[in-house]
Amino acid sequence: EVEVEIWLPTRGRVAIVGIEIDDGAGVGPPTLDDRPRWVHYGSSISQCAEAHSPLRTWPAIAARLGGWHLTNLGFGGSCHLDQFVARHMAGLPADRLSIKIGINIVSAMSFNQRTFPSVLHGFLDSLRDGHPETPLIVCSSIVCPPIEACPGPVRFDGSGRFVADAEASEEAFTLRWLRASMRRAVELRVDRGDGNLTYVDGLDLFSESDRVDLPDDMHPNGDGYERIAARWRRLVDGV
């Protein structure tokens, strides 16, 4: 007997319409999976549509090497700290939680300088409702040159790259501002007693020096994602 894992494509929609097996073969439920469970939430940088294969997204690599059972909630273009995601994560079994946010929020200007800290704290509160003591990693955005120093929103420039909108409100913010705000939020919660909360700076995973593997100035290529996985393992797992 063998156990079979099916890894679905990271690009596009997938519908499973049936499963066929050879005549005379049998199928049954897998044996108990006793790996610790890691639930991760992020944007297209966690969905990793540009990865070399579904097995080679950065969360999949990090989970496989670390012996984790991964649930990857990577939503391309749609990582905006939605409360329904926090409530879903709070209800899942988890031995580790992580969120990696920033690019979608700044590129769409989902929030402003007043609302973002409140929304972030609300999301973390909801996670803690279901997992009060579970290790929780809050990771900010990797480098995205158009919105590092210029506020969003962003648009395509016609050449396949993203650029920041020149017109921005006073309450708009940049990725640099967002990273500082996220760090302050985590430090505040740690000071108030959350000893299982950790901040990871996204620039430690993928920075300006890695830009050769950032072809559209927003999404890493396959090699870039593998570099993120290696750095995540070093920063988070200490390997």
Side-chain angles (χ1 to χ4, degrees), residues 38 62 68 107 114 128 140 150 163-164 176 189 200 218-219 222:
W38 171 22
W68 291 91
S107 64
R114 194 208 69 78
R128 282 303 188 217
S140 59
C150 295
V163 295
R176 293 175 183 173
R189 298 177 76 95
V200 172
M218 184 175 289
H219 302 94

Side-chain angles (χ1 to χ4, degrees), residues 13-83:
R13 298 179 180 179
V14 177
I16 300 175
V17 296
I19 299 176
E20 296 181 358
I21 60 174
D22 295 336
D23 292 340
V27 64
T31 57
L32 179 65
D33 188 342
D34 60 359
R35 292 175 296 176
R37 292 179 174 265
W38 171 22
V39 180
H40 175 71
Y41 169 55
S43 66
S44 56
I45 312 302
S46 296
Q47 177 185 340
C48 306
E50 300 80 11
H52 293 307
S53 80
L55 283 169
R56 296 169 69 182
T57 69
W58 77 259
I61 294 171
R64 190 165 60 254
L65 293 177
W68 291 91
H69 177 290
L70 172 67
T71 299
N72 182 18
L73 304 174
F75 301 132
S78 298
C79 179
H80 298 277
L81 293 174
D82 296 292
Q83 269 296 308

Side-chain angles (χ1 to χ4, degrees), residues 85-109:
V85 178
R87 292 174 64 87
H88 180 64
M89 293 175 69
L92 291 175
D95 298 287
R96 179 167 76 183
L97 299 164
S98 60
I99 65 173
K100 186 178 179 306
I101 60 172
I103 282 183
N104 290 165
I105 290 169
V106 177
S107 64
M109 259 307 106

Side-chain angles (χ1 to χ4, degrees), residues 137-151:
I137 299 139
V138 176
C139 182
S140 59
S141 171
I142 66 169
V143 71
C144 184
I147 48 177
E148 287 294 328
C150 295

Side-chain angles (χ1 to χ4, degrees), residues 77-226:
S78 298
C79 179
H80 298 277
L81 293 174
D82 296 292
Q83 269 296 308
F84 77 88
V85 178
R87 292 174 64 87
H88 180 64
M89 293 175 69
L92 291 175
D95 298 287
R96 179 167 76 183
L97 299 164
S98 60
I99 65 173
K100 186 178 179 306
I101 60 172
I103 282 183
N104 290 165
I105 290 169
V106 177
S107 64
M109 259 307 106
S110 309
F111 311 109
N112 58 35
Q113 293 184 29
R114 194 208 69 78
T115 57
F116 172 73
S118 175
V119 172
L120 175 60
H121 279 295
F123 194 94
L124 297 176
D125 287 344
S126 293
L127 292 182
R128 282 303 188 217
D129 286 342
H131 298 284
E133 302 293 336
T134 302
L136 171 55
I137 299 139
V138 176
C139 182
S140 59
S141 171
I142 66 169
V143 71
C144 184
I147 48 177
E148 287 294 328
C150 295
V154 299
R155 57 181 174 80
F156 276 114
D157 67 354
S159 67
R161 290 181 178 272
F162 290 94
V163 295
D165 194 332
E167 300 294 331
S169 70
E170 292 183 0
E171 281 291 296
F173 54 83
T174 67
L175 280 181
R176 293 175 183 173
W177 183 93
L178 177 136
R179 292 191 193 97
S181 179
M182 290 177 66
R183 184 187 293 274
R184 285 194 300 270
V186 170
E187 290 174 347
L188 176 64
R189 298 177 76 95
V190 170
D191 288 344
R192 294 187 176 182
D194 192 339
N196 288 318
L197 185 63
T198 304
Y199 173 76
V200 172
D201 191 323
L203 294 180
D204 291 333
L205 297 176
F206 196 94
S207 68
E208 178 70 28
S209 64
D210 301 297
R211 195 169 176 179
V212 64
D213 289 317
L214 198 71
D216 65 355
D217 277 348
M218 184 175 289
H219 302 94
N221 57 23
D223 291 344
Y225 285 128
E226 297 195 1

